[in-house]
Amino acid sequence: MAAKQMLIFPVALLLAILSFTAALPSETIANAADTLSNSGYVAMSLTLNLVSGSLLSQTTSATIFTPPDSIFADSGQPPLSLLQLHISPLLFSLSSLRSLPPGTRIPTMSSGNYLTVTQPAFSDQVSINNVSIAGSPVFDDGSLIIFGIENFFDPDFQISDAPVQIDSFNDCQRSYGGDRNFSFHDAGNVLISRGYSVMASFLNLQLLGFISKPSLTLFAPVDEVLVDYSDRFPDYPSLFLRHVLPCRISWKELANIGNRTNLNTHLDGFGISVTRSGVKLMVNGVPIAFPDMYYSDWLVIHGISEALSLPEPSEDVDDSDGDSSDAIPSSDASTCTEF
Ligand SMILES: *[C@@H]1O[C@H](CO)[C@@H](O)[C@H](O)[C@H]1NC(C)=O
Ligand SMILES: *[C@@H]1O[C@H](CO)[C@@H](O)[C@H](O)[C@H]1NC(C)=O
Ligand SMILES: *[C@@H]1O[C@H](CO)[C@@H](O)[C@H](O)[C@H]1NC(C)=O
């Protein structure tokens, strides 16, 4: 199905390639280097300038962990492989890091190597590979977040406990708690503060019409990629509902589910396939850029870098004069029933 779509829409393919190969803007890196140097992280500021071409050109978002100057002074300039371990191609805010239970793996730019969350879940102190994070980010512009840490991460760090076994998610069924007093207010505020206002508005529109507290996962595209949809008012419910799963799946659970797991959404007939490619985790081919952006006991929001599109109706494959810019989901097209 995906292959067909790409043949039909070479422009979409081109856009996809552009977005996957795009780098962090040089302006972001220059701002980050300035901020680092003004905040007493001079060594990382210089290092960032040196490695930005090679390391940060491969990703549109990143989280960097930096030790203070005194640690650089003691250990000398770290080798590239060690620096790679200190950069994740995903965005993590302080609250998303806090939400991660111990044992959660954080992908890094060092291929095949992960960092491991070591703090107790929901503790105020965040630690990764037994190294504490200094608190609020030194730098955060929405595409690059930089945290100070006490020391370099040890590349040989191993967590002693066996990885926690996660229940499989073959069964993303609708479920509701009895509580009628729930609100999207906090989640909406987080979305707005991070540049996902369109999704925040959708949440507030109560399109889902719940009477009691649901369990939900929202895959939120950033505002920029939703601009194209802004004048298509009749499509709003479909656009929103296909980004919402009827169960709650945190980053830790997503990172542990099998490749090509299919999950139902709140849009009937539209399913989401979770796949892995290197360190990236994708939903219907769209990379998850900001895991656990919002996290509560009934709602998790993950930022994604594109909107999830509807499959094209299959008859349009044959007649190429298709006027199908607003595709209706065809009942055969979805992957959600193939458990
Ligand atoms: C990490 O810290 C915990 C608790 O302090 C300790 O039990 C464990 O041995 C440490 N792990 C490593 C690899 O240093
Ligand atoms: C609903 O919850 C909010 C905050 O959690 C609380 O302030 C409010 O009083 C509650 N309302 C009812 C009707 O229980
Ligand atoms: C997951 O499945 C996709 C699609 O079939 C494939 O391209 C990818 O290599 C697989 N990833 C892993 C880690 O096996």
Side-chain angles (χ1 to χ4, degrees):
M1 171 53 69
K4 280 182 191 164
Q5 277 172 253
M6 286 179 174
L7 286 176
I8 304 165
F9 290 113
V11 176
L13 176 61
L14 179 65
L15 284 175
I17 290 171
L18 283 177
S19 70
F20 294 146
T21 54
L24 279 171
S26 52
E27 194 188 340
T28 290
I29 297 183
N31 289 341
D34 278 356
T35 306
L36 280 170
S37 128
N38 293 335
S39 315
Y41 292 92
V42 178
M44 185 50 105
S45 169
L46 297 172
T47 307
L48 194 59
N49 282 320
L50 285 176
V51 302
S52 61
S54 55
L55 282 184
L56 297 177
S57 59
Q58 305 155 24
T59 181
T60 51
S61 55
T63 304
I64 299 180
F65 300 96
T66 176
D69 287 347
S70 55
I71 300 287
F72 275 85
D74 288 348
S75 61
Q77 184 64 29
L80 190 61
S81 60
L82 187 59
L83 280 173
Q84 287 170 326
L85 189 68
H86 289 74
I87 306 177
S88 172
L90 301 177
L91 275 176
F92 287 96
S93 65
L94 189 59
S95 64
S96 51
L97 286 176
R98 274 192 188 129
S99 77
L100 299 175
T104 305
R105 298 199 303 174
I106 295 180
T108 71
M109 302 293 274
S110 166
S111 66
N113 292 313
Y114 290 82
L115 298 168
T116 309
V117 172
T118 43
Q119 86 264 9
F122 302 106
S123 100
D124 269 356
Q125 182 65 53
V126 178
S127 81
I128 293 172
N129 282 23
N130 273 6
V131 175
S132 293
I133 289 184
S136 300
V138 181
F139 180 82
D140 177 359
D141 81 338
S143 58
L144 176 63
I145 299 183
I146 304 180
F147 290 101
I149 52 175
E150 284 177 337
N151 207 334
F152 282 114
F153 296 128
D154 177 359
D156 298 323
F157 180 86
Q158 297 272 323
I159 195 159
S160 43
D161 310 333
V164 182
Q165 200 57 48
I166 302 295
D167 294 338
S168 69
F169 275 89
N170 292 340
D171 204 23
C172 186
Q173 297 300 330
R174 298 182 188 203
S175 73
Y176 303 95
D179 193 355
R180 293 179 170 227
N181 185 18
F182 69 98
S183 144
F184 291 112
H185 184 258
D186 292 350
N189 283 348
V190 170
L191 283 167
I192 290 166
S193 73
R194 292 268 158 203
Y196 298 73
S197 316
V198 177
M199 276 304 185
S201 324
F202 280 146
L203 270 188
N204 290 329
L205 283 174
Q206 304 289 345
L207 288 168
L208 296 155
F210 296 126
I211 296 167
S212 64
K213 188 160 80 179
S215 281
L216 297 176
T217 303
L218 173 65
F219 293 104
V222 279
D223 286 344
E224 292 90 86
V225 305
L226 291 175
V227 166
D228 292 348
Y229 295 86
S230 56
D231 56 350
R232 296 202 227 150
F233 192 74
D235 292 347
Y236 283 4
S238 149
L239 178 64
F240 178 61
L241 295 178
R242 67 180 181 257
H243 288 86
V244 185
L245 301 180
C247 62
R248 197 192 66 114
I249 305 188
S250 67
W251 170 250
K252 176 164 193 193
E253 290 155 344
L254 269 178
N256 280 286
I257 75 180
N259 196 21
R260 288 184 282 168
T261 298
N262 295 310
L263 303 164
N264 288 308
T265 68
H266 267 281
L267 180 63
D268 286 337
F270 185 81
I272 280 180
S273 172
V274 182
T275 52
R276 237 178 283 280
S277 164
V279 296
K280 291 227 182 238
L281 205 59
M282 328 239 246
V283 286
N284 287 4
V286 174
I288 295 177
F290 196 160
D292 288 4
M293 184 198 317
Y294 177 81
Y295 185 103
S296 75
D297 62 349
W298 58 281
L299 171 63
V300 174
I301 301 177
H302 306 291
I304 55 175
S305 47
E306 301 285 332
L308 300 178
S309 46
L310 293 173
E312 295 306 316
S314 43
E315 53 273 19
D316 281 39
V317 175
D318 301 314
D319 61 359
S320 53
D321 59 347
D323 52 351
S324 60
S325 60
D326 293 344
I328 308 292
S330 61
S331 53
D332 67 317
S334 158
T335 50
C336 68
T337 49
E338 301 164 5
F339 290 125

